[in-house]
Amino acid sequence: MRRRTTLALWTIFDERQRPLLSRPATDVDLAWLTQADAQRLIDDMLTTMRQAEGVGLAAPQVGQGLRLAVISPDVDQTLPAPLVLVNPVVQAIGLDQEIGEEGCLSIPGVYGLIQRARQVQLTATDRTGQPYRLTATGLLARVIQHEVDHVRGVLMIDRAERITHGQNRLS
Ligand code: NI
């Protein structure tokens, strides 16, 4: 079995890394997704997220400009396994919004209060290329929106109404 690899986390504090974190990522080619290097990247992102004790991680955060993200099953008890989001699209359901505190692995030490849709529908493809749809509320809805923002080049500090000094888990 291959050794587990932890990837370097890119941060906005590094001038060479910030541009990739701030621009829209590229669609994942579903033919490439079946290849070993794509599956390895997903495995390494999962390992990196766990190692960093994050609740989510998007590919640009490890230097890959791809519309790909993972979310920890710790976020929601309805998740039986980590969620892999390939080419994700998110849509708000209803008009209800909630303010909550978020942190980001790409902006260490900074937390912010961010208004997000309370309920969303995620449309994405899983790691085998199967399309799926998921309705989420609460923390899972928030983390999905945070990760989909990442693949669009939007960072939580772009949305934060107020910067805080919280202790929340990062994504
Ligand atoms: Ni983040």
Side-chain angles (χ1 to χ4, degrees), residues 61 104-105 146 150 171:
Q61 297 183 273
C104 182
L105 292 167
H146 183 112
H150 269 302
S171 59

Side-chain angles (χ1 to χ4, degrees), residues 56-58 61 102-107 146-147 150 154-156 170-171:
L57 183 70
Q61 297 183 273
E102 296 178 23
C104 182
L105 292 167
S106 305
I107 318 168
H146 183 112
E147 300 313 324
H150 269 302
V154 177
L155 296 165
M156 71 73 168
L170 308 173
S171 59

Side-chain angles (χ1 to χ4, degrees), residues 27 41 52 60 71 78 82 90 115 124 126-129 141 144-145 147 162 166:
D27 272 340
L41 173 61
I71 292 176
T78 63
V90 73
Q115 188 161 337
D126 71 13
R127 67 183 297 167
T128 71
I144 288 170
Q145 290 172 86
E147 300 313 324
R162 189 154 65 78

Side-chain angles (χ1 to χ4, degrees), residues 101-102 107 109-114 156-166:
E101 188 176 72
E102 296 178 23
I107 318 168
V110 176
Y111 297 80
L113 290 179
I114 292 155
M156 71 73 168
I157 44 168
D158 301 328
R159 291 192 185 276
E161 299 184 1
R162 189 154 65 78
I163 296 301
T164 53
H165 300 279

Side-chain angles (χ1 to χ4, degrees), residues 63-82:
Q64 302 290 325
L66 293 168
R67 292 184 57 219
L68 169 66
V70 293
I71 292 176
S72 165
D74 298 349
V75 169
D76 193 292
Q77 55 187 7
T78 63
L79 289 180

